[in-house]
Amino acid sequence: MDATDVIRTKRDGHRLRDDQIDWVVDAYTRGEVAEEQMAALAMAIFLRGMDHAEIVRWTQAMIDSGETMSFTDLGKPTTDKHSTGGVGDKITLPLAPLVASFGVAVPQLSGRGLGHTGGTLDKLEAIPGWRADVTNEQLIQILRDVGAVICAAGAGLAPADKKLYALRDITSTVDSIPLIASSIMSKKIAEGTSALTLDVKVGSGAFMKDLETARELASTMVCLGRDAGVATVAFLTDMSSPLGRCVGNALEVRESVEVLAGGGPRDVIELTCVLARQMLALVGQPDADVEAALRDGRAMDVWRRMIAAQGGDPDGPLPVAAHTQEVVADRGGVLTRLDALAVGVASWRLGAGRARRQDPVQLAAGIEIHVEPGERVQAGQRLLTLHTDTPERFEGARESLDGGIDVDPDAADRTGARESVFLERIE
């Protein structure tokens, strides 16, 4: 087999044979196919696409590039969730312990943030002592003892995807549905969970900007999951404005704990509960009263045990930014728009995110949101509070917000309000 032949096949618009896919993924993982050759193939796939059979085979080849996990000896069903990422998306934090409080195992292998979207592991590292890295043996033990674990994926899971993801990031080939779907699902299938609920974000702050492409991605991933024997359902959810009232690592942990304590923003509670019900329904508990588990403290108990099992102090103080600055309304009226991308980029510029994977993040940086779209405000009223340890970042953050906040003095109340974050369900 020759890499140039594989590249030429896809470049010319033909489908890749199974043996071509198997060989090129394996050879790239081993270093036999050069980075520039895989970059050319990725661009050919980006431009020419893949049919369903090709995507299925590509996904399986990436799974086969490394180890797979099995939870069959746990003695209880496993269910997992994946989000395509957004602004203020801290749902994994309250969701995993909530679902685990019903006696199922939630092996939540998560990642770090890049650009304007936050990473679950970065958020949790705001908790004193908490560690993201656990061995496979520790993961199994925590699932057995606690029921939920949120941790970094081991290096042995789909190593081809790790190499290819980094390459796509620097070659403008990220926005390819075959490559996105196979990247996500190769890791999730390799994890060994028996059921998977997908949260595909749609809107300015999401990877997918419009319903049509989000629907295509969700449908592709659901089919990949079902073909692999994993019960899979997807939801399309709105990411035109931020989720919740906090964006940033420690700030989002604080808000997640509020949800676990029975409070928190309406949209975060809604998304957490609907996803929890779906995750539990997929493993035979369609009537689980997840709201009750938030009210009576069962989910909070699992959270505290989960954090402690990974070295964290659930009562430890969260980092607080050294500097804050307020953003106020320049006139009275109804806040008709608070753009998710603008807020996400502003939070990133404050230090909450990273431009490169090796960059550090400020755990205390981020944005508090005091007014939601649809609410009436007065001139000079506080809309946002910016948090950072480096005040020279305020100017860049405020520039990011220019054009992302609309206050209309003539709009009717509730104009721009988000009644629900849910757009569609795909199975």
Side-chain angles (χ1 to χ4, degrees):
M1 201 77 66
D2 183 82
T4 56
D5 290 337
V6 179
I7 296 166
R8 186 183 303 110
T9 298
K10 182 51 64 178
R11 183 200 68 185
D12 293 344
H14 304 301
R15 70 178 310 278
L16 297 176
R17 302 189 312 271
D18 288 351
D19 62 334
Q20 287 179 309
I21 291 172
D22 294 345
W23 176 81
V24 77
V25 171
D26 175 64
Y28 176 61
T29 306
R30 292 185 286 104
E32 185 178 333
V33 170
E35 293 289 329
E36 58 268 27
Q37 291 175 311
M38 184 55 86
L41 179 57
M43 184 59 74
I45 293 170
F46 180 90
L47 295 173
R48 294 294 193 170
M50 282 180 158
D51 65 24
H52 180 69
E54 285 178 289
I55 300 172
V56 169
R57 192 69 177 210
W58 188 274
T59 303
Q60 188 60 51
M62 292 205 293
I63 294 169
D64 293 342
S65 72
E67 64 186 30
T68 57
M69 299 183 66
S70 173
F71 300 113
T72 55
D73 293 337
L74 276 178
K76 49 186 172 182
T78 56
T79 187
D80 193 6
K81 184 271 299 184
H82 179 82
S83 168
T84 56
V87 179
D89 183 11
K90 73 279 296 174
I91 299 301
T92 295
L93 278 64
L95 180 64
L98 172 59
V99 173
S101 71
F102 288 86
V104 303
V106 186
Q108 191 70 55
L109 305 191
S110 300
R112 301 191 180 278
L114 187 65
H116 75 277
T117 58
T120 298
L121 302 181
D122 299 322
K123 303 179 205 298
L124 285 167
E125 284 179 345
I127 300 172
W130 186 88
R131 63 181 187 274
D133 294 321
V134 300
T135 66
N136 287 352
E137 292 74 18
Q138 290 170 328
L139 186 150
I140 294 294
Q141 193 60 50
I142 296 171
L143 288 176
R144 185 171 286 120
D145 296 343
V146 179
V149 61
I150 303 173
C151 64
L157 286 177
D161 177 63
K162 291 180 176 63
K163 285 190 69 175
L164 182 55
Y165 188 94
L167 185 69
R168 289 165 54 212
D169 192 44
I170 61 172
T171 57
S172 294
T173 53
V174 171
D175 302 337
S176 163
I177 286 177
L179 295 178
I180 297 169
S182 58
S183 172
I184 292 170
M185 295 305 293
S186 65
K187 294 191 292 287
K188 288 299 175 183
I189 295 168
E191 285 175 17
T193 187
S194 59
L196 177 63
T197 299
L198 298 164
D199 179 6
V200 179
K201 304 293 188 188
V202 188
S204 69
F207 214 41
M208 300 290 109
K209 307 298 183 185
D210 61 85
L211 270 172
E212 183 180 353
T213 54
R215 191 180 293 122
E216 183 183 353
L217 174 61
S219 298
T220 301
M221 292 194 294
V222 167
C223 289
L224 288 172
R226 294 293 174 88
D227 288 348
V230 178
T232 308
V233 170
F235 291 95
L236 307 186
T237 64
D238 179 68
M239 186 42 68
S240 57
S241 56
L243 188 61
R245 296 285 187 123
C246 292
V247 179
N249 303 304
L251 293 171
E252 293 190 43
V253 172
R254 186 186 72 189
E255 189 166 78
S256 299
V257 173
E258 290 174 3
V259 173
L260 288 161
R266 177 182 56 83
D267 56 351
V268 177
I269 296 168
E270 178 195 23
L271 185 52
T272 300
C273 289
V274 172
L275 292 178
R277 278 194 292 271
Q278 181 62 72
M279 291 171 71
L280 289 164
L282 289 175
V283 291
Q285 296 191 47
D287 301 318
D289 190 347
V290 296
E291 288 87 356
L294 290 175
R295 289 193 303 269
D296 64 22
R298 277 178 286 161
M300 179 68 85
D301 288 344
V302 177
W303 162 265
R304 295 177 61 84
R305 291 165 54 212
M306 179 184 75
I307 295 302
Q310 289 172 246
D313 179 0
D315 297 313
L318 295 171
V320 176
H323 303 275
T324 61
Q325 192 175 100
E326 293 183 350
V327 176
V328 302
D330 58 0
R331 57 181 174 174
V334 173
L335 178 67
T336 57
R337 188 171 72 98
L338 181 61
D339 184 68
L341 180 60
V343 173
V345 173
S347 179
W348 167 63
R349 288 186 168 180
L350 289 167
R354 54 174 63 84
R356 301 172 301 168
R357 293 195 173 276
Q358 63 269 32
D359 290 346
V361 297
Q362 290 186 25
L363 295 175
I367 298 176
E368 283 184 279
I369 300 167
H370 304 293
V371 181
E372 294 180 354
E375 296 182 6
R376 187 165 292 278
V377 300
Q378 304 297 320
Q381 182 176 336
R382 181 179 61 170
L383 302 178
L384 309 171
T385 300
L386 313 182
H387 296 247
T388 186
D389 292 329
T390 45
E392 61 271 19
R393 293 176 177 264
F394 282 131
E395 181 179 359
R398 297 184 78 99
E399 289 176 357
S400 300
L401 294 168
D402 288 345
I405 302 173
D406 292 340
V407 176
D408 186 345
D410 301 319
D413 288 354
R414 303 299 298 163
T415 301
R418 179 166 59 190
E419 300 304 326
S420 173
V421 296
F422 287 93
L423 304 174
E424 289 184 20
R425 182 177 185 272
I426 294 175
E427 60 179 330

